[in-house]
Amino acid sequence: MAEAIVLWLVRISLIFLAVISLLPLVPTGAWFVRICDFPRLQVLLLLIPPTCALAALAVWKRKFPREYGVLTIVIVAVVGWQGAHILPFTPVWPEELPAGNSNPTVRLMVANVTKNNEKKDEVRGVIEQQDPDLLLLVEINESWAGALQSLRRTYPYREEVIRDEGLGIALWSKLPLRETEVRHLVSDRRASIFTDVELPDGTWARFCGIHPTPPGLRDETPGGRRDSRVRDAELVLVADQVKDNSDRRWIVAGDFNDVAWSDTTSLFKHLSGLRDPRVGRSLLNTYHAEHPLWRYPIDQLFLPESSEIHSLSRVYLPGSDHFAVIADFHIPPIATEKPSASSDEISEAEEIVEEGEEDAEKRNVESDEAEQEAIER
């Protein structure tokens, strides 16, 4: 009787975990499908109890019937599938961007401060301690802008969109900026910052800071929970900007609200030719800071493939649900982005943008660019 109960529990667990593992293969932007991209590490951890239960049964019964073999194969398959997504973000994998000691370097801090965070003085202290050259602030509102007022002398070059509802974004810089613009790529609720940054060696690089909509977000737009189509379209459009200007050196950073191993992020890399400094180093899980068992790598940074990484880490921000990302890197004067997207991936990207713009229109959150295109047509 006990054996039958344990086997049923093992079967149910494996069916559930197998479904969670395979759902992201479904080509849809539905939030309940895309959200399954996130917990790959958690799925691996959840496989431990059924594996141990099966092993205990085999030892107890002193036999290994065919059903045990089938269940073991399923476990191994799921472990292999999930592990294949996670393994590149560990030290056993070759580094996508090499370590180096070339100078001069740039220190970048990506900080989602969380709109309703009351520990503003402590966060300001962390920023002062880290002393970045480029500070990307996500979810900045009027309250945060006031609390960080004393830092403005340190960062004389600024572009900011101060908004409530977690929609604010700002770039504060010690380094000179030029040709700065705020763009609404897909949704007029979500701003992105594009600017040229003068690097310490006197050359210029193009910077893009983004914060697209997370899948599953419940907001006031028609339709209730948001799916991933607007987010995916924004990431693709940024990648297109990089691809179309591949003679320039690009830095793309922000709260992507997408995990490092998702198909959309992979497509972003292939379209843009940019590289992920976490590959070969660590997952650098940044969200949720208060719940260790439910953390995902969603605050991201992408650099030209010729870049050298001096350090890459996360820093606790008191009161925030995100860790901040801190990166010290060197970008040589020569641009070396080499987009590697196939024709199928380019077609997929065009479809993603079309679907994202349709979803934004349906929710009455069309971008400035979309409205201008409609006028021109």
Side-chain angles (χ1 to χ4, degrees):
M1 182 66 178
E3 179 183 6
I5 293 174
V6 172
L7 281 176
W8 271 108
L9 290 175
V10 170
R11 292 190 198 108
I12 292 171
S13 299
L14 290 181
I15 290 172
F16 172 74
L17 295 175
V19 169
I20 293 295
S21 300
L22 295 175
L23 264 181
L25 295 175
V26 179
T28 177
W31 71 268
F32 57 86
V33 173
R34 296 276 63 88
I35 207 73
C36 293
D37 273 324
F38 286 61
R40 295 194 182 277
L41 183 58
Q42 287 77 9
V43 168
L44 282 176
L45 295 175
L46 289 173
L47 284 167
I48 294 175
T51 303
C52 293
L54 204 60
L57 274 181
V59 172
W60 176 47
K61 302 295 289 186
R62 296 185 179 180
K63 62 179 181 179
F64 198 81
R66 183 168 58 184
E67 183 175 15
Y68 289 17
V70 172
L71 293 175
T72 300
I73 290 172
V74 174
I75 290 173
V76 172
V78 176
V79 168
W81 176 248
Q82 300 292 14
H85 289 81
I86 295 171
L87 198 61
F89 302 93
T90 67
V92 304
W93 204 263
E95 293 177 350
E96 199 162 85
L97 289 175
N101 55 12
S102 300
N103 287 310
T105 61
V106 175
R107 167 164 280 206
L108 168 67
M109 183 176 189
V110 180
N112 186 321
V113 294
T114 304
K115 60 182 183 299
N116 55 357
N117 185 356
E118 297 298 328
K119 298 183 178 180
K120 295 180 173 61
D121 291 341
E122 293 94 325
V123 170
R124 184 176 63 248
V126 172
I127 295 172
E128 290 173 341
Q129 181 182 31
Q130 295 300 322
D131 193 28
D133 301 304
L134 294 171
L135 173 62
L136 184 67
L137 295 164
V138 180
E139 296 197 15
I140 183 172
N141 53 22
E142 291 289 352
S143 177
W144 268 110
L148 299 178
Q149 180 68 28
S150 63
L151 293 178
R152 289 178 178 271
R153 292 189 297 271
T154 306
Y155 299 97
Y157 307 98
R158 298 182 298 273
E159 183 62 44
E160 51 194 20
V161 180
I162 309 298
R163 290 182 183 172
D164 290 324
E165 301 180 71
L167 300 174
I169 188 169
L171 176 65
W172 292 6
S173 176
K174 295 179 182 179
L175 307 173
L177 306 178
R178 71 180 184 189
E179 297 183 23
T180 303
E181 58 179 331
V182 172
R183 301 184 62 184
H184 298 82
L185 297 173
V186 185
S187 166
D188 60 15
R189 293 168 60 84
R190 296 275 172 172
S192 301
I193 295 175
F194 289 79
T195 187
D196 286 345
V197 179
E198 186 178 17
L199 303 181
D201 63 3
T203 62
W204 293 81
R206 190 68 171 163
F207 178 90
C208 175
I210 60 175
H211 181 213
T213 306
L217 175 70
R218 189 184 298 276
D219 63 17
E220 298 176 358
T221 62
R225 288 190 182 273
R226 306 296 296 274
D227 62 23
S228 73
R229 290 186 295 173
V230 170
R231 178 203 68 184
D232 296 346
E234 182 166 337
L235 294 179
V236 167
L237 287 170
V238 171
D240 281 340
Q241 288 283 315
V242 179
K243 175 174 64 68
D244 293 341
N245 297 274
S246 59
D247 57 326
R248 309 180 74 175
R249 296 169 299 161
W250 283 81
I251 304 167
V252 180
D255 175 1
F256 277 47
N257 279 312
D258 193 20
V259 283
W261 49 70
S262 77
D263 287 344
T264 306
T265 297
S266 295
L267 181 62
F268 172 90
K269 288 175 61 177
H270 291 164
L271 288 171
S272 67
L274 298 177
R275 299 294 181 258
D276 187 343
R278 289 166 301 183
V279 174
R281 288 186 170 86
S282 69
L283 284 170
L284 210 66
N285 291 330
T286 55
Y287 176 89
H288 193 289
E290 301 299 331
H291 303 296
L293 293 178
W294 298 106
R295 284 182 184 163
Y296 316 105
I298 66 173
D299 296 276
Q300 306 199 40
L301 166 65
F302 291 91
L303 297 168
E305 67 174 353
S306 58
S307 304
E308 295 178 355
I309 304 301
H310 289 232
S311 66
L312 180 68
S313 61
R314 67 182 188 185
V315 175
Y316 179 67
L317 292 176
S320 175
D321 52 8
H322 287 247
F323 288 92
V325 173
I326 303 290
D328 293 278
F329 53 88
H330 170 77
I331 303 178
I334 301 174
T336 58
E337 286 82 6
K338 296 178 181 177
S340 58
S342 65
S343 57
D344 288 341
E345 287 176 319
I346 293 173
S347 297
E348 179 186 357
E350 292 172 351
E351 184 177 342
I352 286 173
V353 171
E354 182 178 348
E355 290 180 352
E357 290 175 346
E358 288 175 356
D359 186 58
E361 181 180 3
K362 182 171 64 176
R363 294 174 181 275
N364 298 322
V365 290
E366 282 188 279
S367 69
D368 299 338
E369 284 81 358
E371 291 174 0
Q372 183 62 37
E373 289 175 0
I375 292 172
E376 292 173 354
R377 287 197 298 266

